[in-house]
Amino acid sequence: MVRHTPPMGWNSWNTFAENVNEKVVRESAEAMVQSGLYEAGYEYVVIDDCWSEKVRGKDGKLREDKRKFPSGMKELCDYVHGLGLKIGIYSCAGPLTCAGYPGSFDHEFVDAKSFADWGFDFLKYDYCYKPASVQGKFLYRRMGTALASCGRDILFSACSWGADETHTWIDGTGAHMWRSTGDIWDNYASIRDIIKLQYKILPYGGVGCFNDMDMLVTGMRGKGHVGIGGCTYEEYKLHMSVWAILASPLMIGCDIRSLNDETRELLTNRGMLSINQDARGCRAYIANEEEVRMSDVSPVFVRSLEGGDIAVCFTNLGDTDARGVLQAAQMGLSYGCGKKLCFCDVWSGEQIAMTNECLCLDMPPHTARLFRVKLK
Ligand code: GLA
């Protein structure tokens, strides 16, 4: 399987953690279809940690916890497929998962076969309890090999949190996406810190193996397992804008059974999604890199899109008002070239023309503006 665009879906962890169960998964899958998320492009329903029994069966295989998943995984997969969706499961490269359930270390092939037999389409693969004796890249390579020979197309989602310079080796392991940071929390500081960790790794990721900046907290509003603090509407908009321009997978973490209109719009805005899912698959650069390196100025991200358009995202990650500045030269316009750039704000629809040498925007704290830009 080759992934040409960042995977999109929902994952149980951010809201439910160890309380994940069959009811939640079925209802979330139904909600994904009914709420319009599926139509917008969200397709994977992923069961994270805490789904299995604490010990393997006598045959060495993982078993679902029947108190949480009474119908069993095969029937659940069939149900989710029947809705037109895909379904994912979770394991770990160490002998235990992060929450202390059995991991796949030295059981990679038998586990990949179980996941395939049940009907899973996606595996999130964590990094807790990694044995010191084996390098991470070989552990991910093992599971990549096991998945490649399990008889089913399974998207391989690596989750080694950027540890051990993940970006330098993950693409060779068979992974389709890879976590570049530690866990997200539903508060602004967590979003800001994850964005700041991206500056040095922008050239990595993209088509085939996407840089996963972690699951979305949009719409959590301080509820659920990682709901510590909550964010404002503008902070969630900044979160979506940056995840979109940096082509991160979009895995929703809020409870989609009770989406309000504001959250639905943040998750399904067409202009934002068309940038995230752009077919050209280019990586972004930081236009004002010098300033970002020298002082605490916030980045302006730029990315080429299919058909010649350009995505631009102004940010103000700081706690005070700031002025975002983008020079025409940073967008490829030479003095007197006779061209102009037209900026369309994907959230508000506002059109701004850049005819002079630069575009300056007054940016309140904790905000972003995401534009699709056309050359005229
Ligand atoms: C790690 C991962 C999280 C989640 C938990 C489950 O912390 O980074 O995304 O999967 O494990 O225990």
Side-chain angles (χ1 to χ4, degrees):
M1 177 200 311
V2 182
R3 274 308 301 206
H4 294 281
T5 54
M8 293 169 65
W10 171 88
N11 175 298
S12 61
W13 184 255
N14 280 2
T15 294
F16 299 99
E18 73 277 10
N19 297 320
V20 64
N21 59 43
E22 180 176 329
K23 184 168 180 284
V24 160
V25 175
R26 281 178 187 252
E27 289 176 1
S28 300
E30 288 157 8
M32 192 178 268
V33 176
Q34 281 156 15
S35 62
L37 289 173
Y38 173 59
E39 208 187 333
Y42 294 89
E43 59 174 339
Y44 289 96
V45 174
V46 180
I47 303 167
D48 207 282
D49 206 349
C50 311
W51 60 268
S52 75
E53 289 284 1
K54 284 272 172 97
V55 286
R56 288 175 179 269
K58 290 208 180 71
D59 55 3
K61 294 183 180 172
L62 292 170
R63 299 171 297 168
E64 66 277 74
D65 179 340
K66 281 277 175 7
R67 281 152 304 174
K68 293 180 178 172
F69 295 91
S71 314
M73 290 309 193
K74 173 99 184 60
E75 205 174 304
L76 182 57
C77 289
D78 288 348
Y79 181 74
V80 172
H81 289 149
L83 295 171
L85 304 173
K86 294 186 171 143
I87 179 161
I89 190 77
Y90 164 100
S91 190
C92 185
L96 290 176
T97 71
C98 299
Y101 292 75
S104 292
F105 178 66
D106 269 353
H107 293 82
E108 291 85 357
F109 285 79
V110 75
D111 289 354
K113 185 76 176 54
S114 297
F115 302 145
D117 289 348
W118 281 327
F120 284 104
D121 310 292
F122 180 112
L123 172 68
K124 175 173 170 182
Y125 204 51
D126 223 325
Y127 206 49
C128 283
Y129 302 101
K130 178 191 108 40
S133 54
V134 195
Q135 286 184 46
K137 65 178 164 198
F138 298 136
L139 290 177
Y140 280 94
R141 183 61 271 176
R142 267 197 216 179
M143 188 46 101
T145 305
L147 290 174
S149 62
C150 74
R152 192 174 170 86
D153 249 354
I154 297 184
L155 192 151
F156 187 19
S157 165
C159 180
S160 57
W161 327 303
D164 303 329
E165 306 269 289
T166 305
H167 59 283
T168 61
W169 48 262
I170 194 64
D171 193 29
T173 66
H176 299 97
M177 57 191 262
W178 54 282
R179 270 275 294 282
S180 57
T181 70
D183 290 9
I184 197 165
W185 299 93
D186 179 27
N187 57 60
Y188 175 67
S190 175
I191 291 172
R192 178 200 60 209
D193 293 348
I194 288 175
I195 295 171
K196 288 191 168 185
L197 284 168
Q198 304 305 315
Y199 301 172
K200 289 209 174 76
I201 54 172
L202 291 180
Y204 299 89
V207 171
C209 193
F210 290 92
N211 170 358
D212 174 10
M213 294 165 63
D214 205 355
M215 297 164 298
L216 302 171
V217 291
T218 306
M220 290 191 71
R221 291 193 189 75
K223 295 204 194 98
H225 179 68
V226 307
I228 298 178
C231 298
T232 65
Y233 170 73
E234 285 298 329
E235 289 167 346
Y236 286 137
K237 201 161 86 178
L238 174 142
H239 177 34
M240 297 307 303
S241 300
V242 179
W243 266 238
I245 194 162
L246 298 188
S248 173
L250 299 178
M251 303 302 292
I252 301 169
C254 70
D255 188 347
I256 55 175
R257 299 171 306 171
S258 51
L259 276 187
N260 63 19
D261 290 346
E262 181 183 285
T263 302
R264 190 182 297 108
E265 162 60 12
L266 284 170
L267 294 171
T268 60
N269 176 283
R270 278 167 189 263
M272 178 277 296
L273 288 178
S274 76
I275 289 172
N276 176 259
Q277 296 288 302
D278 185 75
R280 182 147 179 219
C282 290
R283 282 160 288 263
Y285 65 86
I286 296 177
N288 53 346
E289 201 174 13
E290 290 291 296
E291 293 92 328
V292 170
R293 203 180 304 128
M294 311 276 282
S295 60
D296 207 20
V297 169
S298 297
V300 180
F301 297 106
V302 176
R303 175 151 70 97
S304 295
L305 302 175
E306 176 76 359
D309 288 356
I310 306 168
V312 172
C313 184
F314 282 74
T315 63
N316 178 4
L317 303 179
D319 296 331
T320 52
D321 288 343
R323 174 154 266 228
V325 180
L326 178 63
Q327 312 280 353
Q330 293 166 334
M331 292 287 285
L333 291 196
S334 56
Y335 186 74
C337 68
K339 301 280 183 192
K340 71 173 182 181
L341 295 170
C342 293
F343 286 64
C344 179
D345 184 317
V346 305
W347 299 105
S348 68
E350 188 190 350
Q351 311 262 355
I352 307 173
M354 182 196 214
T355 43
N356 298 319
E357 281 170 32
C358 70
L359 178 65
C360 299
L361 294 177
D362 291 326
M363 304 283 298
H366 304 188
T367 60
R369 291 195 66 179
L370 180 63
F371 298 98
R372 177 178 279 267
V373 182
K374 290 188 184 294
L375 183 67
K376 294 266 165 84

